[in-house]
Amino acid sequence: MQIIETYGKYIEKWANTNPDRARVLLKLGWEAQNLKYKFTPDKRLLPADRYLAHLMMNTMLMPLKNPQECAIVSIFTPCEILHEVGLHPYNVEAFSCYLSASNAERAFLQQAENTGISETLCSYHKTFLGAAQKKILPKPKCIVYTNLTCDANLLTFKTLAKLYDVPAFAIDVPMQQNEDNVKYVADQIRDLKVFLEKCTGKTITEDGLKERMRRSKRTMDKFIECQKKSADKDIKTDLVTPLFAGMTNNILLGTKEEEKYMDQLLKDIEKAPKKKGKKIYWMHTIPFWSGAVQEALAFNENAQIAGCELSRTFEPDFDPEDPYDAMARRMVYHGLNGSAVRRIEAGICHAKDVKADGAVWFGHWGCKHTLGAAQLAKKKFEEAGIPMLLLDGDGCDRSHGGEGQTSTRLGAFLEMLGAEEMEGGQDE
């Protein structure tokens, strides 16, 4: 831990005086971590999840190595069409997670706030903005984003487009679920095809895009199968693996690498021992840096995170033979689009798939969509027979930690779930 703290301090120091040097240090540190993932992975993880950590780090390194082959994207941007022209996703939320894991987020958060960005803006977006302003993050080929679920997107990506002076494309997704809105979004994605071809000089073929969409559908079908088969299995994990799955199921969907992960995961789940301890379904992002959450849920015999909302935000009922309609339908009928009730009902359904004993609704600082729905979510989950803990904090910014309160409340919740088991006898 001391090494990471020192590493983060040097990145912050050089960010003020020599951003090129800071960027090189960032890349070298991440490459070193990637070698560790490859040659000395954490043996407590499933083999598939060891591969996933390596895959995700490769994805993060790409913008540092070849930024002109990358497009800055929001998490729920349909990336199959970007991959088809050879553009790698340069994702704001994921990159900020890695900056936080490098213990370097504080200087970038402060930089963004010093330029007038509100303290209440999502810390993932502020971290990325601050790092971009300090010239740590290299210039992309272009920017593609959507207003889907997160109102911070409207500020962040317009600011980045101006800062980098690169072309940007915004996909507007209405909140209502109907066929007119699917057509409206599909027409925008057809315009996105023209935009990407102009930016890259490459051509997107219908056959190539259809094949990617078929792979996307297969991948998500397999992921849902994984979730259901894992319900009666003992699968211990850390706090970042569920986030990795949430990220790659969005920005790497349609790639051979992501389907390979799902194939391996299915095999690993088949071999896993029978369930022990309690299964927790996590709604929204996970504060992976929190010692209190790590102690309670990371590789714990008594409780484990069995699923994360971000990894399953739509059902794969789209037709891959109509790729523009398929990408549009996923966005319009996205679990986080529209009313809070839709999101809550989807969460309950997915929590039941993994036979969750309880759920955590994480109120990430700055996310109005999540904070505003907390009490309703607790009511709905508990009416469905799933006890829920409302836990406030920040997924990226350690200064909003509240570790003592997190430890007390999470510990009491897990104890309550254990007490219920003792009173109720054996699991069904």
Side-chain angles (χ1 to χ4, degrees):
M1 188 50 129
Q2 184 62 45
I3 293 173
I4 296 175
E5 289 179 3
T6 302
Y7 174 68
K9 286 178 181 177
Y10 272 104
I11 290 173
E12 290 181 349
K13 175 184 174 182
W14 289 338
N16 293 321
T17 58
N18 192 333
D20 290 339
R21 189 177 186 184
R23 188 186 311 120
V24 169
L25 177 62
L26 192 67
K27 182 170 76 73
L28 289 174
W30 290 5
E31 286 175 333
Q33 182 64 41
N34 206 21
L35 288 173
K36 182 180 177 182
Y37 284 148
K38 185 175 182 179
F39 295 110
T40 59
D42 191 332
K43 295 297 179 65
R44 295 174 296 178
L45 291 169
L46 295 176
D49 290 336
R50 297 173 211 163
Y51 168 77
L52 179 63
H54 182 53
L55 173 60
M56 193 63 201
M57 185 60 90
N58 280 338
T59 304
M60 294 298 98
L61 279 166
M62 185 60 72
L64 297 178
K65 293 178 175 179
N66 301 297
Q68 280 300 296
E69 295 178 14
C70 297
I72 289 180
V73 297
S74 54
I75 184 174
F76 300 126
T77 299
C79 288
E80 291 99 335
I81 194 166
L82 278 77
H83 289 295
E84 195 60 23
V85 288
L87 285 174
H88 298 274
Y90 186 174
N91 178 251
V92 165
E93 294 88 349
F95 225 89
S96 294
C97 273
Y98 276 74
L99 289 171
S100 180
S102 302
N103 238 72
E105 85 281 3
R106 188 64 251 167
F108 305 134
L109 288 163
Q110 193 61 57
Q111 165 67 26
E113 290 175 12
N114 288 346
T115 60
I117 302 296
S118 171
E119 184 188 359
T120 60
L121 187 77
C122 172
S123 57
Y124 292 103
H125 288 250
K126 276 196 300 182
T127 298
F128 195 95
L129 282 168
Q133 288 168 346
K134 281 184 173 288
K135 301 184 186 231
I136 299 297
L137 304 184
K139 180 177 179 177
K141 171 70 78 175
C142 62
I143 295 173
V144 182
Y145 68 101
T146 170
N147 63 339
L148 180 59
T149 79
C150 181
D151 57 5
N153 289 349
L154 300 178
L155 168 67
T156 300
F157 292 94
K158 288 179 181 178
T159 303
L160 290 171
K162 185 176 180 180
L163 178 69
Y164 285 118
D165 191 23
V166 295
F169 191 98
I171 305 171
D172 175 46
V173 182
M175 291 182 65
Q176 291 74 32
Q177 285 69 49
N178 59 54
E179 291 305 301
D180 285 343
N181 285 340
V182 171
K183 182 180 183 304
Y184 169 68
V185 176
D187 287 342
Q188 292 179 71
I189 299 176
R190 290 186 179 91
D191 291 340
L192 174 59
K193 171 183 180 290
V194 176
F195 170 85
L196 292 172
E197 289 177 335
K198 183 177 179 181
C199 283
T200 63
K202 298 179 181 178
T203 300
I204 296 173
T205 67
E206 293 293 308
D207 287 344
L209 198 52
K210 285 178 182 179
E211 180 55 37
R212 284 193 182 272
M213 297 307 297
R214 293 184 197 112
R215 193 179 295 123
S216 292
K217 190 173 189 309
R218 288 197 307 269
T219 299
M220 288 309 298
D221 283 336
K222 290 171 185 176
F223 182 71
I224 292 173
E225 186 181 356
C226 285
Q227 292 275 276
K228 292 178 178 179
K229 286 188 173 181
S230 70
D232 298 312
K233 299 288 190 172
D234 181 50
I235 302 173
K236 298 178 183 65
T237 187
D238 53 16
L239 301 186
V240 295
T241 297
L243 286 176
F244 288 160
M247 190 57 60
T248 59
N249 278 2
N250 287 285
I251 64 173
L252 295 186
L253 197 60
T255 65
K256 293 178 181 178
E257 292 81 3
E258 182 68 358
E259 187 174 26
K260 176 183 175 181
Y261 166 61
M262 293 304 169
D263 289 335
Q264 181 63 54
L265 187 59
L266 274 171
K267 293 177 184 177
D268 292 347
I269 289 171
E270 291 284 355
K271 299 175 186 175
K274 289 184 178 180
K275 175 189 172 184
K276 303 175 186 174
K278 297 297 179 180
K279 289 188 176 286
I280 305 299
Y281 197 81
W282 197 280
M283 297 293 289
H284 204 33
T285 190
I286 302 171
F288 64 90
W289 54 266
S290 168
V293 181
Q294 288 172 10
E295 183 178 356
L297 294 171
F299 300 114
N300 195 312
E301 289 285 340
N302 301 316
Q304 54 200 230
I305 294 177
C308 176
E309 174 191 33
L310 298 179
S311 63
R312 188 176 166 189
T313 51
F314 61 88
E315 303 305 321
D317 58 351
F318 54 87
D319 180 6
E321 302 310 310
D322 188 348
Y324 300 101
D325 178 273
M327 287 182 277
R329 190 169 300 277
R330 283 190 340 218
M331 299 179 83
V332 172
Y333 286 90
H334 193 283
L336 278 75
N337 190 38
S339 73
V341 172
R342 291 189 70 253
R343 176 184 182 183
I344 293 164
E345 288 176 347
I348 290 170
C349 176
H350 302 157
K352 287 183 174 180
D353 279 349
V354 298
K355 297 183 182 178
D357 298 288
V360 173
W361 184 275
F362 186 67
H364 170 66
W365 172 259
C367 185
K368 303 177 189 69
H369 190 279
T370 305
L371 294 170
Q375 293 298 330
L376 179 60
K378 182 174 176 65
K379 179 175 182 291
K380 293 286 188 182
F381 267 79
E382 294 185 347
E383 285 175 351
I386 304 172
M388 170 165 272
L389 171 66
L390 304 182
L391 189 65
D392 294 336
D394 198 297
C396 187
D397 182 359
R398 290 170 173 80
S399 69
H400 291 150
E403 286 288 84
Q405 185 182 61
T406 297
S407 178
T408 300
R409 299 192 66 235
L410 188 53
F413 179 67
L414 295 177
E415 185 178 350
M416 180 270 292
L417 293 180
E420 286 186 343
E421 179 186 6
M422 290 172 63
E423 292 169 6
Q426 295 182 344
D427 292 341
E428 295 181 359

